[in-house]
Amino acid sequence: MRHLWELCLLLLLLLASQGQGVKALPTAHLNQSCRLTAAESATEPACSPELNLRHIQLLKRYMRPELDACQDFYAYACGNWRSVHKMGESAMSLSGARIDQRYVELFERLLHVPRSTEHSLPLYGKLLRYYHSCRALGKPRLRRYLEQLPHIGGSHWADLLAVLGRYGYHEHYVKIEVSQHNASQHMIVVMPHNYYLNLSLSGSIYNALRRHTHGQLPSLKQLTEQFKQLEQTLQELAQPPSGSSDEDTVSTYTLEQLQQELPGLNWTHVLHLQLGAIYPGSYQLLADDLPALRQLIGYLNRADARLLQLYSWARFLQHLMQLPHNPLSDPQPSFSASSATSCVQHMRKTLYLAMNFAYERNYYGKQRQADEHVIFGVFEELKQQFAQQLRLNTLGLNATLLDALLDKVQGLRINVGNLPRNVSDQFYEECVQHWRVGNDFYENHLNSLLHYYDHLAELERTEDAALRQVWFSFNHHGPELLDNIDATPYFYCLGSIIIMPYAYMQLPLYESQFWPALLYGDLANTLGHEMLHSIDTYFVDYDAQGEMRDYSDQLVLNKNYLKAVNCLNDSEHVMLNERIADISGTRLALNTYMKDPLERRHNGRLYFVQFAQFFCGEEADIYHDTGSKRLNYALAQMPEFAEVFNCAPGTPMNPVSRCSFW
Ligand SMILES: [Zn+2]
């Protein structure tokens, strides 16, 4: 009897846990409406139940519904993620890897099918040659980079520096760089030696120098010592004196003024050499810390020219090797599948526009129209809701500041994918016209850098308003941009624009045919998060045109604002601006989507489980906490979550007190 009773109990338990598994995401009363069936798009296909149900099955695979969602929602929604995916894999990293794979397939197909239509476009021919030169790479031969540099008469430190600057390298001695200034302008910036970065003279860099100088070099040990002393002197000259205030020392100067202030360099000559144009004396540029620049230039003009030259070459090589996804830094650059992927990753960084054009044309273009219909629709709803919330003015801001923030919210833009909108194929053809690609990887790499930075310099001085507008309608990434900045959607403060990269626009995070709970579960939360970044503690100071204002100085005078910030800032480890975007972005998405109690009852659980997907595999990085911490903290702040999962008051996901912010 006893055994039978135990068996019954076991069966009951099994049934109960299975039953709970099914009940975890009930589908019987789900809202199956579809944004694409709106009147204006009656010809579009209806949302596919198969696709949605298949996705819900996938969500269930990651869940551990036997756990208590009110104790730890991350464990409940993502508890099985690690048994399905490897360490380090998140929804976004898997998505990025799928895109890499598509590029590999595309290039391999084109290499094997010479009659493909793509071959008629010069852009594809260049991409293929580049890919081929990368695949053919053998052992690294760093001196090849130095051999490609143009010969300049003489050995003045500033001339070589200007030449290296053409390839986007400008970190030591005196830094001359073109960078984006606001939503419609680039500027030339002159800065002192960056003493945060140093040279680590590796054996391979030393060997490249030795070959390049035909053996005319001190020993590795001696040279390392000489470089160290040089760096020490440069740091002393560039570092502000201790005790000086850390106020902003950047100012605008005309070229003429700069020449008067810093006569140790011929600025017209140096700018011409680096940026390829003769700038008039009235030209305006930015310069930082003139006293430090003056001291540095004075010292460099007197120092050993040969040592300065060697140091520049070594730093340049180190910089090239440290660029994200340089395949030469890959331990096994041989003919292998991994090499194909590393070449594609390298090309995605280095040939941003051309690579994204190919992706748009071969893959993304087919879904763009449907995506824009849905994403712009949700974005507009969120914007209206955001403005409505701000107008309630719960913090009691003064009218001028409130208006400025409202302007900013109304002015937010969005870019779907990684290219400018509405430009013709002609635009891309012209863009790549002067980009030279041959058979040698080293030459190709340098020429591509040259192409990118030449373009930046031209963009800075062009008067063509239409062209400027195109280039400022998206974020044209530089080759040095780190993956973790652009792999997921992000808010770009200078352009006041939200970028939704291709990697986001696919399952499991997004699909234009998602039912509302799935669609808003991630898309509205992601957009909400990025929109809130526009007024988080870091970015609030930029206005809609990307100009710096003093909004945060005004905000900290407001007691309610300070109270709200302090409530979220509960330990020194909090990434405050991310937490603000998480909490207020989640609130904004909820307010936009879940007003109706019936919607909450029937679709609430699915909405929150879909929301969890982004966080399931996310580990902490320098900008973000772990996915589990972010997800649980954000949802514990939402009483709607506790309502949907019937969490008793005082449980971790239904705390007694909450913070409120925007
Ligand atoms: Zn963020």
Side-chain angles (χ1 to χ4, degrees), residues 529 533 578 624:
H529 176 100
H533 269 313
E578 284 304 327
H624 302 93

